Amino acid sequence: MGKLVNLGSLCIDHVYSVPDIAGPGETVASLGHEVFPGGKGLNQSVAAARAGAEVMHVGCIGEDGVWLKEVLAEAGVAASAVRVATGASGHAVIQVNAAGENAIVIAGGTNRELAEADVTTALDALAPDDWLLLQNEINDLEGVLAAASRRGARVAFNVAPVDGREAGYDLSGVALLIVNEIEAAALAGVDDPPAALSSLCQRYPNMDVVLTLGRGGLLCASPAGTSTMPAYSVQAVDETAAGDAFIGYLMAALLAGDEMAPALRKASAAGALAVTRAGAASSIPTPAEVEALLASGS
């Protein structure tokens, strides 16, 4: 079984519970404030490791984020390639309302200071059965994608969050693209999810695409065809890391040899369970909890 090499972000998440998410010009009083480990990269590494995968994380933190490296290590992630740099770590300010919906502002910090040596470390660690996982929270993704393609790496790319850079990405070397409705629309230039999926598949016919729709389930397209999958019905508390739990469990299942359909079912169950708890990395479920939800069929 191969391993997952995640060249990804690490963040300090400041989560504010609010009665309603603030609109333009509005000030709301927080009902509570908590600090969690986060960042899409860290969350996905923790999720994949919790799901049973061998995971190596490559990234960059400031001295204020050394504890994030400890979080990875405690989760069973190989974190020796997480570099401590000068400056502040990436961080996020997250509003979460009573329905579990969120609004997030991120500051890249040291996630935008990855150097060529960091990319080389990640690529050199890859064996033929491994996956390289990327998110859209690090710098120089054009160069990373090009270098990974030259190496023949199996790349899974979660294009989140969209920030305008994605318009210039060459995704021809990506084996698995994971996007939500907003990200798919940004890449395809089409708002309708099925149409966006079709456009991406026409542009990259050899790529598998997973398009998540939140409570609407997901769409999955591959050279063999397109399929749909409903979402699990749960009571949402905090949606912050749902996508990251989904991706971590999906990658772990694929590394374990699962076909795409059962891998997606596990991933969907993990994502559903993650929204029932507060926080990001701290909300990621255990395999036993995922199996219990799968067995319940609900």
Side-chain angles (χ1 to χ4, degrees):
M1 188 170 89
K3 67 179 179 295
L4 183 67
V5 178
N6 188 352
L7 180 60
S9 57
L10 307 96
C11 283
I12 300 170
D13 287 354
H14 293 268
V15 180
Y16 298 85
S17 299
V18 293
D20 295 292
I21 291 172
E26 183 181 11
T27 300
V28 298
S30 171
L31 304 174
H33 167 238
E34 295 180 273
V35 178
F36 295 101
K40 292 185 180 300
L42 180 146
N43 296 339
Q44 292 171 21
S45 282
V46 169
R50 194 160 294 170
E54 179 185 352
V55 184
M56 172 183 176
H57 195 103
V58 182
C60 190
I61 51 177
E63 291 184 359
D64 59 333
V66 170
W67 64 282
L68 299 175
K69 188 172 181 176
E70 296 168 0
V71 168
L72 286 173
E74 289 171 2
V77 177
S80 61
V82 174
R83 181 169 56 86
V84 180
T86 303
S89 301
H91 75 267
V93 175
I94 304 171
Q95 299 178 65
V96 180
N97 67 14
E101 299 167 327
N102 61 50
I104 305 173
V105 177
I106 61 171
T110 51
N111 291 317
R112 295 301 185 95
E113 295 182 17
L114 287 173
E116 185 177 347
D118 299 312
V119 178
T120 299
T121 294
L123 295 177
D124 285 350
L126 291 168
D129 291 337
D130 297 344
W131 279 91
L132 175 67
L133 178 60
L134 305 170
Q135 309 83 30
N136 205 36
E137 289 184 335
I138 62 172
N139 58 292
D140 192 27
L141 275 158
E142 298 94 332
V144 173
L145 289 165
S149 182
R150 289 193 296 271
R151 295 279 193 110
R154 277 201 304 177
V155 177
F157 188 16
N158 175 217
V159 192
V162 291
D163 57 14
R165 294 181 299 160
E166 63 282 343
Y169 294 161
D170 178 4
L171 303 179
S172 58
V174 174
L176 173 60
L177 183 72
I178 308 163
V179 289
N180 64 16
E181 296 170 79
I182 295 171
E183 295 143 13
L187 288 171
V190 181
D191 288 335
D192 177 65
L197 183 68
S198 176
S199 175
L200 289 170
C201 291
Q202 289 175 14
R203 197 179 307 171
Y204 304 105
N206 297 317
M207 183 169 66
D208 288 346
V209 183
V210 175
L211 199 170
T212 58
L213 302 169
R215 293 178 177 88
L218 63 83
L219 303 171
C220 179
S222 71
T226 301
S227 60
T228 63
M229 188 172 294
Y232 286 88
S233 179
V234 295
Q235 182 62 47
V237 172
D238 182 355
E239 297 177 351
T240 302
D244 298 331
F246 175 94
I247 290 167
Y249 267 80
L250 174 61
M251 298 312 301
L254 293 175
L255 283 163
D258 287 7
E259 296 295 328
M260 183 61 78
L264 287 170
R265 281 193 289 273
K266 288 180 185 177
S268 296
L273 287 167
V275 307
T276 66
R277 303 163 185 167
S282 56
S283 73
I284 294 165
T286 65
E289 291 169 326
V290 170
E291 291 299 331
L293 182 55
L294 288 169
S296 74
S298 60

mmCIF file of all heavy atoms in Angstrom, residues 29-61:
data_model
loop_
_atom_site.group_PDB
_atom_site.id
_atom_site.type_symbol
_atom_site.label_atom_id
_atom_site.label_comp_id
_atom_site.label_asym_id
_atom_site.label_seq_id
_atom_site.Cartn_x
_atom_site.Cartn_y
_atom_site.Cartn_z
ATOM 1 N N ALA A 29 -21.863 40.396 18.044
ATOM 2 C CA ALA A 29 -21.171 39.965 19.255
ATOM 3 C C ALA A 29 -21.006 38.452 19.232
ATOM 4 O O ALA A 29 -21.967 37.708 19.011
ATOM 5 C CB ALA A 29 -21.969 40.382 20.484
ATOM 6 N N SER A 30 -19.787 38.003 19.462
ATOM 7 C CA SER A 30 -19.518 36.573 19.483
ATOM 8 C C SER A 30 -20.062 35.947 20.755
ATOM 9 O O SER A 30 -19.977 36.513 21.839
ATOM 10 C CB SER A 30 -18.006 36.328 19.392
ATOM 11 O OG SER A 30 -17.704 34.974 19.615
ATOM 12 N N LEU A 31 -20.602 34.742 20.610
ATOM 13 C CA LEU A 31 -21.088 33.981 21.753
ATOM 14 C C LEU A 31 -19.988 33.126 22.364
ATOM 15 O O LEU A 31 -20.176 32.525 23.421
ATOM 16 C CB LEU A 31 -22.254 33.085 21.319
ATOM 17 C CG LEU A 31 -23.433 33.803 20.655
ATOM 18 C CD1 LEU A 31 -24.455 32.793 20.150
ATOM 19 C CD2 LEU A 31 -24.061 34.795 21.615
ATOM 20 N N GLY A 32 -18.854 33.058 21.681
ATOM 21 C CA GLY A 32 -17.732 32.264 22.173
ATOM 22 C C GLY A 32 -16.588 32.294 21.190
ATOM 23 O O GLY A 32 -16.780 32.552 19.991
ATOM 24 N N HIS A 33 -15.387 32.049 21.676
ATOM 25 C CA HIS A 33 -14.181 32.054 20.837
ATOM 26 C C HIS A 33 -13.301 30.888 21.244
ATOM 27 O O HIS A 33 -13.025 30.683 22.427
ATOM 28 C CB HIS A 33 -13.408 33.365 21.014
ATOM 29 C CG HIS A 33 -12.027 33.330 20.429
ATOM 30 N ND1 HIS A 33 -10.898 33.571 21.175
ATOM 31 C CD2 HIS A 33 -11.590 33.062 19.170
ATOM 32 C CE1 HIS A 33 -9.827 33.473 20.401
ATOM 33 N NE2 HIS A 33 -10.229 33.161 19.176
ATOM 34 N N GLU A 34 -12.892 30.087 20.230
ATOM 35 C CA GLU A 34 -11.997 28.964 20.477
ATOM 36 C C GLU A 34 -10.898 28.961 19.423
ATOM 37 O O GLU A 34 -11.085 29.456 18.300
ATOM 38 C CB GLU A 34 -12.752 27.638 20.439
ATOM 39 C CG GLU A 34 -13.777 27.466 21.543
ATOM 40 C CD GLU A 34 -14.487 26.124 21.455
ATOM 41 O OE1 GLU A 34 -15.487 26.046 20.731
ATOM 42 O OE2 GLU A 34 -14.023 25.156 22.103
ATOM 43 N N VAL A 35 -9.764 28.390 19.776
ATOM 44 C CA VAL A 35 -8.630 28.268 18.853
ATOM 45 C C VAL A 35 -8.397 26.797 18.564
ATOM 46 O O VAL A 35 -8.307 25.972 19.478
ATOM 47 C CB VAL A 35 -7.358 28.901 19.452
ATOM 48 C CG1 VAL A 35 -6.174 28.733 18.497
ATOM 49 C CG2 VAL A 35 -7.593 30.379 19.749
ATOM 50 N N PHE A 36 -8.324 26.464 17.264
ATOM 51 C CA PHE A 36 -8.153 25.079 16.837
ATOM 52 C C PHE A 36 -7.008 24.973 15.834
ATOM 53 O O PHE A 36 -6.686 25.944 15.139
ATOM 54 C CB PHE A 36 -9.421 24.562 16.145
ATOM 55 C CG PHE A 36 -10.638 24.462 17.023
ATOM 56 C CD1 PHE A 36 -11.616 25.439 16.979
ATOM 57 C CD2 PHE A 36 -10.821 23.374 17.860
ATOM 58 C CE1 PHE A 36 -12.753 25.339 17.768
ATOM 59 C CE2 PHE A 36 -11.947 23.262 18.645
ATOM 60 C CZ PHE A 36 -12.920 24.247 18.603
ATOM 61 N N PRO A 37 -6.402 23.793 15.721
ATOM 62 C CA PRO A 37 -5.505 23.549 14.584
ATOM 63 C C PRO A 37 -6.330 23.456 13.321
ATOM 64 O O PRO A 37 -7.460 22.967 13.338
ATOM 65 C CB PRO A 37 -4.853 22.204 14.930
ATOM 66 C CG PRO A 37 -5.860 21.512 15.801
ATOM 67 C CD PRO A 37 -6.538 22.602 16.581
ATOM 68 N N GLY A 38 -5.794 23.944 12.223
ATOM 69 C CA GLY A 38 -6.548 23.911 10.980
ATOM 70 C C GLY A 38 -5.661 24.098 9.763
ATOM 71 O O GLY A 38 -4.464 23.832 9.787
ATOM 72 N N GLY A 39 -6.274 24.607 8.726
ATOM 73 C CA GLY A 39 -5.638 24.643 7.415
ATOM 74 C C GLY A 39 -6.055 23.413 6.654
ATOM 75 O O GLY A 39 -6.079 22.303 7.195
ATOM 76 N N LYS A 40 -6.429 23.575 5.395
ATOM 77 C CA LYS A 40 -6.921 22.435 4.622
ATOM 78 C C LYS A 40 -5.890 21.312 4.553
ATOM 79 O O LYS A 40 -6.227 20.138 4.622
ATOM 80 C CB LYS A 40 -7.335 22.887 3.219
ATOM 81 C CG LYS A 40 -8.562 23.775 3.229
ATOM 82 C CD LYS A 40 -9.020 24.115 1.832
ATOM 83 C CE LYS A 40 -10.247 25.018 1.890
ATOM 84 N NZ LYS A 40 -11.381 24.388 2.597
ATOM 85 N N GLY A 41 -4.625 21.686 4.430
ATOM 86 C CA GLY A 41 -3.590 20.666 4.358
ATOM 87 C C GLY A 41 -3.494 19.851 5.629
ATOM 88 O O GLY A 41 -3.528 18.618 5.606
ATOM 89 N N LEU A 42 -3.379 20.548 6.769
ATOM 90 C CA LEU A 42 -3.289 19.846 8.048
ATOM 91 C C LEU A 42 -4.521 18.982 8.280
ATOM 92 O O LEU A 42 -4.407 17.807 8.667
ATOM 93 C CB LEU A 42 -3.116 20.857 9.182
ATOM 94 C CG LEU A 42 -3.012 20.275 10.602
ATOM 95 C CD1 LEU A 42 -2.076 21.132 11.461
ATOM 96 C CD2 LEU A 42 -4.377 20.177 11.285
ATOM 97 N N ASN A 43 -5.700 19.544 8.064
ATOM 98 C CA ASN A 43 -6.934 18.782 8.286
ATOM 99 C C ASN A 43 -6.966 17.509 7.454
ATOM 100 O O ASN A 43 -7.355 16.433 7.933
ATOM 101 C CB ASN A 43 -8.151 19.632 7.941
ATOM 102 C CG ASN A 43 -8.301 20.846 8.823
ATOM 103 O OD1 ASN A 43 -7.766 20.902 9.929
ATOM 104 N ND2 ASN A 43 -9.017 21.841 8.334
ATOM 105 N N GLN A 44 -6.579 17.619 6.205
ATOM 106 C CA GLN A 44 -6.623 16.462 5.311
ATOM 107 C C GLN A 44 -5.574 15.420 5.679
ATOM 108 O O GLN A 44 -5.828 14.212 5.580
ATOM 109 C CB GLN A 44 -6.477 16.923 3.861
ATOM 110 C CG GLN A 44 -7.692 17.710 3.385
ATOM 111 C CD GLN A 44 -7.523 18.375 2.042
ATOM 112 O OE1 GLN A 44 -6.668 17.980 1.244
ATOM 113 N NE2 GLN A 44 -8.321 19.398 1.777
ATOM 114 N N SER A 45 -4.420 15.865 6.136
ATOM 115 C CA SER A 45 -3.405 14.912 6.601
ATOM 116 C C SER A 45 -3.891 14.164 7.833
ATOM 117 O O SER A 45 -3.745 12.938 7.939
ATOM 118 C CB SER A 45 -2.095 15.639 6.925
ATOM 119 O OG SER A 45 -1.370 15.947 5.758
ATOM 120 N N VAL A 46 -4.471 14.897 8.790
ATOM 121 C CA VAL A 46 -4.990 14.263 10.002
ATOM 122 C C VAL A 46 -6.087 13.270 9.652
ATOM 123 O O VAL A 46 -6.135 12.149 10.176
ATOM 124 C CB VAL A 46 -5.497 15.324 10.992
ATOM 125 C CG1 VAL A 46 -6.282 14.682 12.139
ATOM 126 C CG2 VAL A 46 -4.326 16.130 11.552
ATOM 127 N N ALA A 47 -6.985 13.656 8.757
ATOM 128 C CA ALA A 47 -8.086 12.776 8.370
ATOM 129 C C ALA A 47 -7.574 11.501 7.707
ATOM 130 O O ALA A 47 -8.049 10.398 8.002
ATOM 131 C CB ALA A 47 -9.045 13.507 7.442
ATOM 132 N N ALA A 48 -6.618 11.642 6.801
ATOM 133 C CA ALA A 48 -6.091 10.470 6.106
ATOM 134 C C ALA A 48 -5.373 9.533 7.074
ATOM 135 O O ALA A 48 -5.514 8.305 6.994
ATOM 136 C CB ALA A 48 -5.149 10.897 4.986
ATOM 137 N N ALA A 49 -4.603 10.113 8.001
ATOM 138 C CA ALA A 49 -3.909 9.288 8.984
ATOM 139 C C ALA A 49 -4.900 8.600 9.913
ATOM 140 O O ALA A 49 -4.750 7.410 10.237
ATOM 141 C CB ALA A 49 -2.934 10.144 9.797
ATOM 142 N N ARG A 50 -5.930 9.330 10.329
ATOM 143 C CA ARG A 50 -6.949 8.742 11.202
ATOM 144 C C ARG A 50 -7.677 7.604 10.487
ATOM 145 O O ARG A 50 -8.111 6.638 11.113
ATOM 146 C CB ARG A 50 -7.928 9.824 11.654
ATOM 147 C CG ARG A 50 -8.821 9.408 12.805
ATOM 148 C CD ARG A 50 -9.399 10.627 13.500
ATOM 149 N NE ARG A 50 -8.358 11.412 14.165
ATOM 150 C CZ ARG A 50 -8.548 12.616 14.690
ATOM 151 N NH1 ARG A 50 -9.734 13.192 14.616
ATOM 152 N NH2 ARG A 50 -7.555 13.242 15.281
ATOM 153 N N ALA A 51 -7.794 7.709 9.175
ATOM 154 C CA ALA A 51 -8.445 6.673 8.382
ATOM 155 C C ALA A 51 -7.546 5.467 8.125
ATOM 156 O O ALA A 51 -7.992 4.482 7.530
ATOM 157 C CB ALA A 51 -8.925 7.253 7.060
ATOM 158 N N GLY A 52 -6.282 5.568 8.531
ATOM 159 C CA GLY A 52 -5.397 4.417 8.413
ATOM 160 C C GLY A 52 -4.298 4.527 7.389
ATOM 161 O O GLY A 52 -3.523 3.583 7.206
ATOM 162 N N ALA A 53 -4.188 5.662 6.711
ATOM 163 C CA ALA A 53 -3.159 5.824 5.688
ATOM 164 C C ALA A 53 -1.822 6.221 6.305
ATOM 165 O O ALA A 53 -1.765 6.826 7.379
ATOM 166 C CB ALA A 53 -3.581 6.879 4.675
ATOM 167 N N GLU A 54 -0.761 5.879 5.612
ATOM 168 C CA GLU A 54 0.560 6.419 5.938
ATOM 169 C C GLU A 54 0.652 7.791 5.294
ATOM 170 O O GLU A 54 0.459 7.926 4.082
ATOM 171 C CB GLU A 54 1.671 5.519 5.404
ATOM 172 C CG GLU A 54 3.069 6.034 5.690
ATOM 173 C CD GLU A 54 4.176 5.202 5.055
ATOM 174 O OE1 GLU A 54 3.863 4.126 4.501
ATOM 175 O OE2 GLU A 54 5.339 5.647 5.092
ATOM 176 N N VAL A 55 0.941 8.806 6.087
ATOM 177 C CA VAL A 55 0.892 10.181 5.595
ATOM 178 C C VAL A 55 2.177 10.914 5.957
ATOM 179 O O VAL A 55 2.659 10.846 7.090
ATOM 180 C CB VAL A 55 -0.307 10.954 6.194
ATOM 181 C CG1 VAL A 55 -0.388 12.359 5.591
ATOM 182 C CG2 VAL A 55 -1.614 10.208 5.961
ATOM 183 N N MET A 56 2.694 11.646 4.982
ATOM 184 C CA MET A 56 3.824 12.554 5.191
ATOM 185 C C MET A 56 3.361 13.953 4.824
ATOM 186 O O MET A 56 2.777 14.157 3.757
ATOM 187 C CB MET A 56 5.013 12.153 4.310
ATOM 188 C CG MET A 56 6.166 13.140 4.313
ATOM 189 S SD MET A 56 7.468 12.612 3.161
ATOM 190 C CE MET A 56 8.609 13.998 3.281
ATOM 191 N N HIS A 57 3.577 14.901 5.709
ATOM 192 C CA HIS A 57 3.170 16.279 5.435
ATOM 193 C C HIS A 57 4.399 17.141 5.209
ATOM 194 O O HIS A 57 5.353 17.106 5.977
ATOM 195 C CB HIS A 57 2.358 16.848 6.599
ATOM 196 C CG HIS A 57 1.611 18.103 6.244
ATOM 197 N ND1 HIS A 57 0.261 18.117 5.988
ATOM 198 C CD2 HIS A 57 2.035 19.388 6.084
ATOM 199 C CE1 HIS A 57 -0.120 19.354 5.688
ATOM 200 N NE2 HIS A 57 0.953 20.138 5.738
ATOM 201 N N VAL A 58 4.355 17.929 4.140
ATOM 202 C CA VAL A 58 5.405 18.897 3.832
ATOM 203 C C VAL A 58 4.754 20.277 3.821
ATOM 204 O O VAL A 58 3.743 20.493 3.138
ATOM 205 C CB VAL A 58 6.064 18.617 2.471
ATOM 206 C CG1 VAL A 58 7.185 19.624 2.201
ATOM 207 C CG2 VAL A 58 6.591 17.194 2.404
ATOM 208 N N GLY A 59 5.297 21.214 4.591
ATOM 209 C CA GLY A 59 4.703 22.536 4.658
ATOM 210 C C GLY A 59 5.575 23.491 5.434
ATOM 211 O O GLY A 59 6.735 23.180 5.762
ATOM 212 N N CYS A 60 5.007 24.653 5.764
ATOM 213 C CA CYS A 60 5.794 25.705 6.390
ATOM 214 C C CYS A 60 4.956 26.424 7.442
ATOM 215 O O CYS A 60 3.800 26.791 7.185
ATOM 216 C CB CYS A 60 6.255 26.698 5.322
ATOM 217 S SG CYS A 60 7.474 27.892 5.880
ATOM 218 N N ILE A 61 5.526 26.599 8.629
ATOM 219 C CA ILE A 61 4.866 27.287 9.733
ATOM 220 C C ILE A 61 5.798 28.345 10.303
ATOM 221 O O ILE A 61 7.005 28.307 10.091
ATOM 222 C CB ILE A 61 4.472 26.305 10.863
ATOM 223 C CG1 ILE A 61 5.692 25.448 11.267
ATOM 224 C CG2 ILE A 61 3.285 25.445 10.458
ATOM 225 C CD1 ILE A 61 5.440 24.504 12.417
#
